[in-house]
Amino acid sequence: MKTLFFFLIFSLFSGLGAQNFWNTPPTSVPKKPVKELTFIAYFFNKAVLNNMYARNDFLKGQVVGRLFGGNTTNTSSAESFYFEQRLLPFFIYQPKLFDGRAILRASFEIDWTWGDASYGVGGNFGSAFSADQVNLQTQNVELELIPRKGWAVNLGLQRLFDTPYNPYRTFFETMTLTGYRLAFWGSDAVGISVRHDRDYSRFKAGYYQLYENNIEQKDDVVLWELMAEKDLTPTWRQGASLWYVQDRASGEGGVSILGQGLNSLLNDYNGVFRFNTIGSQKYKADIFWLGTFWNRNAEYKLDRLALGGFAVANIGKVEIQSANGWQKLADIAGFAANLRCGYRYGQTRRDVFEADILLASGDDNGLQDKKYQGVITGNTWGSPGAIFISSGSYLLFPHGNVVNRYLALVPDLSNMGRGLLGGTLNFHRAFIPNKLYGKAGLAVGSAFSAPTGGGNLIGYEANAMLGYQAGVFMNIELHAAHAWLGDFYKSRQVNGDQPGKPHNPWTVFLAFKWLMF
């Protein structure tokens, strides 16, 4: 299968006919000289006041995942106040020698909490007195080759997003509102992808090596991807996709000491279902996601009404190795769906009212019946591996304005395998068009399977934001959110082993954002 995939890519470069595209001169002369080196950067700074913290003293840097989960995060009656800062620089090299048909991109990340550490090595640190921390983190180093018009081959460490659009030629907001909205895959991965973008359709195929482990052994995690989308009308787009993960690593590798895979501690950390019955046994898993997605005028560009959504069937099989050979541990049969609708009542993109509904199946008996009826996402293999950050929620579901602390009550569709029925309502208003704007929102969530000693209701949330656009792509925003925990958190299984419901989480932060280019 791998050989066939790479043979098809080679065919693109060798030519689909007698004429070789690489040797064909451009058909038009550019009006301006090609700019070989481009620099783009995103600067983000925020001051935070909240009541959430990690109980483990070692987790002073990046804290990701479920509030009250394996990351030891908790709430209290006391207040935390701190500053965070992020810089995401992008370097793009496009040599004139190849007439724009070969592009090298490299992106990095520098994060810290003000005053955290100095004279050390490690990411998410480096702003204490005297600084001098070695803290540059590599996000992407990838090469985009354009062998033919409309075709692109991306090779190397690149964006792995569950949308059909090119992540290097599309605004990030577009990708959070189309396809699967990064709810299944929203991270970086090394591999090779091929895409074909036409006027009214687009197609993508990819192979990604999530974990290699020992190169002489079949102990890897590999992801295959197929996505296609068609413009049915000027406003309506319909797509379909297929992902396949072949997991033979048995948890080897992964994020720090947490590991990765179906039986790893990473699942408790990220708030996904953990296959506890595997234990330390070797396992192999074959997991498929078959889905369809649609959107109508997702960004309100053509008229006032926006619709979108997706539906995914998650199926597969997990086997474990025993003295009698490989035996089936469980079948996987889950599903997830989303429906988003909005109406632009005013003249700008910020004059909208939106509703978002999210559904994911759950499992109420673990693996006792040899079935897992919930869903699995990229959060099983990465931290985070999927980021559903476009719902408008801050605490119930995750929010994108973060640096080192990416926390939510439900950071993953599976909700620890217990399933989810939730939604948000958001009202946006531009008080002064393209200058002063605001937002108010509500969110609610419930689990299909209640934990021992707890109920189904996860909780409610109210939030608000007031923003000011100081310049082109430069914004100052004040955000606030408060969540009220439901009976779901009466259970010690999900509330961090506390006797009773924890304190309700809340947050207030002032953010400065600047996209510079």
Side-chain angles (χ1 to χ4, degrees), residues 54 100 102 112 130 139 178 187 235 241 280 313 324 329 355 392 461 475 478 511:
W112 54 55
S130 297
Q139 283 191 342
T178 58
S187 190
T235 58
S241 66
S280 59
N324 298 322
L329 173 71
E461 178 192 332
N475 301 76
L478 178 63

Side-chain angles (χ1 to χ4, degrees), residues 290-324:
L290 179 62
T292 182
F293 54 92
W294 59 89
N295 74 78
R296 180 199 181 278
N297 188 35
E299 298 177 271
Y300 307 95
K301 292 180 178 179
L302 300 176
D303 59 30
R304 294 184 179 275
L305 180 64
L307 291 171
F310 61 76
V312 179
N314 196 178
I315 58 177
K317 181 176 66 174
V318 183
E319 296 179 308
I320 57 174
Q321 190 176 43
S322 66
N324 298 322

Side-chain angles (χ1 to χ4, degrees), residues 324-336:
N324 298 322
W326 290 100
Q327 296 182 342
K328 186 178 76 172
L329 173 71
D331 289 316
I332 299 171
F335 66 89

Side-chain angles (χ1 to χ4, degrees), residues 216-288:
E216 75 280 7
Q217 299 178 17
K218 293 183 179 180
D219 57 355
D220 309 332
V221 183
V222 174
L223 168 66
W224 294 90
E225 171 189 47
L226 286 174
M227 294 193 79
E229 185 183 59
K230 173 72 174 178
D231 298 357
L232 302 179
T233 71
T235 58
W236 190 273
R237 296 180 175 183
Q238 186 77 40
S241 66
L242 173 65
W243 295 299
Y244 165 52
V245 164
Q246 184 186 69
D247 186 347
R248 301 294 185 266
S250 297
E252 185 179 355
V255 182
S256 186
I257 62 173
L258 299 173
Q260 56 81 24
L262 302 179
N263 63 337
S264 69
L265 295 175
L266 182 66
N267 296 332
D268 296 333
Y269 199 89
N270 283 340
V272 305
F273 181 75
R274 183 181 177 191
F275 288 66
N276 284 319
T277 54
I278 293 178
S280 59
Q281 294 174 284
K282 286 185 176 295
Y283 75 85
K284 58 182 181 181
D286 295 284
I287 307 171
F288 298 84

